[in-house]
């Protein structure tokens, strides 16, 4: 059994395939000011790292305040999505690299991508 025990390096590589570990390293080196919008699936990982989330796995808590509905509106990039970002005064977005909102922000003149890897991307408001 010990022979097949994964190394810290291999565990970190597996985590990086699903979670924004590289993005968190970037944020540690380049602290953000303002509010962060995060992908729902990254919420628990961010909570564990001590980073305040926009949304996480406690969906029922966020639904009562309407945040969950707004998050769904954003992720489907329905008309008015940028208005939701303004409403919540979001200045930084930590998103899955390939989600529709990430693609939209990449093409938006109001946002700048400051970090990207094979899993995640970080955008800041210009």
């Amino acid at each position: 059994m010990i022979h097949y025990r994964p190394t810290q390096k291999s565990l970190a590589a597996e985590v990086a395939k699903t979670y924004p570990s590289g993005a968190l390293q970037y944020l540690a080196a380049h602290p953000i000011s303002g509010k962060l919008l995060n992908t729902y699936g990254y919420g628990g990982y961010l909570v564990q790292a001590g980073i305040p989330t926009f949304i996480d796995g406690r969906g029922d808590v966020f639904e009562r305040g309407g945040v969950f509905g707004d998050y769904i509106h954003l992720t489907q990039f329905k008309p008015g999505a940028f208005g939701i970002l303004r409403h919540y005064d979001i200045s930084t977005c930590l998103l899955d690299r390939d989600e529709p909102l990430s693609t939209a922000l990449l093409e938006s003149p109001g946002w700048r991508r400051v970090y990207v890897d094979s899993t995640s991307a970080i955008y800041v408001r210009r």
Side-chain angles (χ1 to χ4, degrees):
M1 292 288 278
I2 293 175
H3 176 71
Y4 294 107
R5 183 172 180 231
T7 64
Q8 284 296 106
K9 185 176 179 179
S10 67
L11 285 173
E14 285 301 311
V15 167
K17 289 179 184 177
T18 306
Y19 297 102
S21 59
L24 291 191
Q25 290 173 9
Y26 176 86
L27 290 175
H30 304 88
I32 62 165
S33 61
K35 297 178 183 173
L36 172 77
L37 171 76
N38 61 280
T39 294
Y40 183 86
Y42 294 166
Y45 188 78
L46 296 175
V47 167
Q48 183 180 2
I51 297 175
T53 62
F54 180 81
I55 196 162
D56 57 51
R58 301 167 293 173
D60 58 325
V61 173
F62 296 99
E63 180 55 37
R64 282 182 252 155
V67 174
F68 190 76
D70 287 341
Y71 175 77
I72 296 299
H73 189 104
L74 275 168
T75 59
Q76 294 176 350
F77 200 66
K78 292 183 177 179
F82 285 135
I84 292 172
L85 293 172
R86 284 189 298 277
H87 171 75
Y88 287 99
D89 196 28
I90 301 295
S91 60
T92 305
C93 298
L94 170 54
L95 305 172
D96 183 278
R97 176 186 163 167
D98 297 323
E99 70 180 272
L101 182 57
S102 185
T103 303
L105 291 177
L106 182 61
E107 298 301 322
S108 172
W111 291 85
R112 177 173 54 101
R113 184 170 70 185
V114 295
Y115 175 85
V116 66
D117 63 24
S118 62
T119 304
S120 60
I122 300 174
Y123 300 87
V124 295
R125 187 181 298 275
R126 291 185 191 265

